Amino acid sequence: MKSFRSAVALITIALAVSMAQPRPAATGEQHYLYVASPGTRNYVEYGGVGILVFDIDHGYKFVKRIPTWKTAEGKEPENVKGIAASAQTGRVYVTSLNRMIAIDAVTGKAIWDKTYEGGCDRMAISPDGKLLYVPQLEGPQWHVVDAMTGAVIATIETKSGSHNTIYSSDGQHVYLGGLKSNMLSIADTKTNTVTATVGPFADFIRPFTINGASTRVYVNTNNLLGFEIGDLTTGKMLSHVEVQGFEKGDVKRHGCPAHGIALTHDEKELWLADCHNSAIHIFDNTVMPPKQTTDLKMRDCVGWLSTSLDGRFIYSSTGEVIDIATKKIVATLTDETGRQVQSEKLLDVVISNGKVVRVGNQFGVGMKP
């Protein structure tokens, strides 16, 4: 395996949370990172149980823990499967294997807590905050859920092993990725019916992301240390990209060499997770196919990547915060006990005058019009 080149020299353990530079906040605004735990399987050693809140403006300092579900004595906690939030409702939504809870993002108070037939996986919320599309746990359907009440109002059946979900920025479509299919389903949110598919891809679809114009999808698949690109308008698979200079190897979790993919907001770069090599691979996305440019060494298996709300940082599931411009780690998350925090389910929440005004996304979606 080749060396991590000069980029690795820039990324050391010394670049921890104490070195993170505070960002200037708009008047009256407070920027927080909400991290759902256990967000790496049910591993409580990486942050315990609950939503951990970190102060972005002050070097990602731990602020508080919001309760989610109590674990019965003698039983293990359930994996957190997804997180979503809405400025319109002021709520954060978290799914576990069997249920979904809605929590007031400011007060931390639980508003409703419901179980769903077939369980839950990684959901998405509509831009207006009214609807949640909630996949069953690798089942045949997605539940369409009223975000205010938690009631199921419709279902969409794909028989694909429902798993990951992304809403288009205009709210007209929702993209449904099943881990038992090599086809991505596109549903019309007005009719809640599948109207198109994209693929076939090389293998079953795992994490994926889309560009801001909803014309391209970037897909992780089983058995690929790399990604594939699909055209959301024609349904065709366009390109197959493999990581160069690194062995695929065995992985700790997910059974997938690359389980995590994110675009920078300007869509000039694509960042790719690599569990076996505990690495992130960065690609120049201004050329086709994208060209591998930089490889960063992380502290553990990378199983998810998200982009910060302001577009300045990449959040790695390893609990490391990376400055996109410099490619340096600027913070490492720790909880109130000093314990290392790792999670694949997190997003930004901006609060002003006691109200949620903006929220981020658990997926690394592009923002270019």
Side-chain angles (χ1 to χ4, degrees), residues 55-300:
D55 187 339
I56 297 174
D57 298 321
H58 296 88
Y60 293 87
K61 181 181 178 181
F62 178 85
V63 176
K64 63 180 178 179
R65 181 184 298 268
I66 298 173
T68 48
W69 300 283
K70 292 182 178 179
T71 303
E73 187 176 351
K75 291 190 176 182
E76 294 183 347
E78 286 193 4
N79 310 30
V80 169
K81 299 300 292 181
I83 186 170
S86 170
Q88 285 79 5
T89 65
R91 298 175 183 179
V92 175
Y93 304 85
V94 178
T95 51
S96 72
L97 297 174
N98 294 299
R99 60 195 313 116
M100 180 165 60
I101 190 170
I103 294 172
D104 186 294
V106 177
T107 67
K109 180 181 178 181
I111 299 168
W112 51 257
D113 181 358
K114 296 182 180 291
T115 58
Y116 293 89
E117 181 184 0
C120 300
D121 218 312
R122 198 181 288 264
M123 71 297 205
I125 193 165
S126 59
D128 62 11
K130 293 181 179 180
L131 296 175
L132 287 149
Y133 281 72
V134 185
Q136 291 179 326
L137 186 62
E138 304 171 20
Q141 296 180 333
W142 267 259
H143 290 123
V144 185
V145 175
D146 184 318
M148 293 304 294
T149 66
V152 176
I153 59 176
T155 58
I156 301 174
E157 186 165 296
T158 63
K159 297 180 180 179
S160 63
S162 49
H163 192 50
N164 289 315
T165 322
I166 295 180
Y167 236 108
S168 65
S169 59
D170 61 11
Q172 294 182 16
H173 297 96
V174 63
Y175 303 98
L176 312 175
L179 53 64
K180 298 177 183 178
S181 174
N182 62 356
M183 302 291 293
L184 180 75
S185 297
I186 304 175
D188 184 313
T189 56
K190 291 182 180 179
T191 62
N192 288 322
T193 57
V194 173
T195 56
T197 57
V198 185
F201 294 99
D203 207 322
F204 294 165
I205 296 172
R206 304 306 297 274
F208 66 96
T209 192
I210 63 172
N211 65 349
S214 297
T215 58
R216 294 288 184 270
V217 59
Y218 302 80
V219 176
N220 292 146
T221 69
N222 281 345
N223 300 306
L224 175 62
L225 181 54
F227 59 93
E228 293 189 321
I229 304 174
D231 189 320
L232 291 172
T233 60
T234 67
K236 295 181 179 180
M237 202 280 279
L238 300 176
S239 188
H240 175 94
V241 181
E242 295 186 15
V243 170
Q244 300 299 310
F246 291 79
E247 64 177 6
K248 186 162 61 174
D250 296 329
V251 293
K252 289 184 178 180
R253 59 190 75 101
H254 297 301
C256 180
H259 191 277
I261 190 165
L263 291 169
T264 55
H265 282 188
D266 61 11
E267 300 176 9
K268 291 182 178 180
E269 290 181 347
L270 181 143
W271 291 50
L272 182 75
D274 177 350
C275 180
H276 175 72
N277 298 294
S278 296
I280 295 173
H281 307 292
I282 303 171
F283 291 78
D284 178 356
N285 194 44
T286 65
V287 296
M288 186 68 171
K291 182 180 179 182
Q292 186 176 344
T293 59
T294 310
D295 310 289
L296 308 180
K297 180 67 176 176
M298 311 309 290
R299 66 183 180 182
D300 203 346

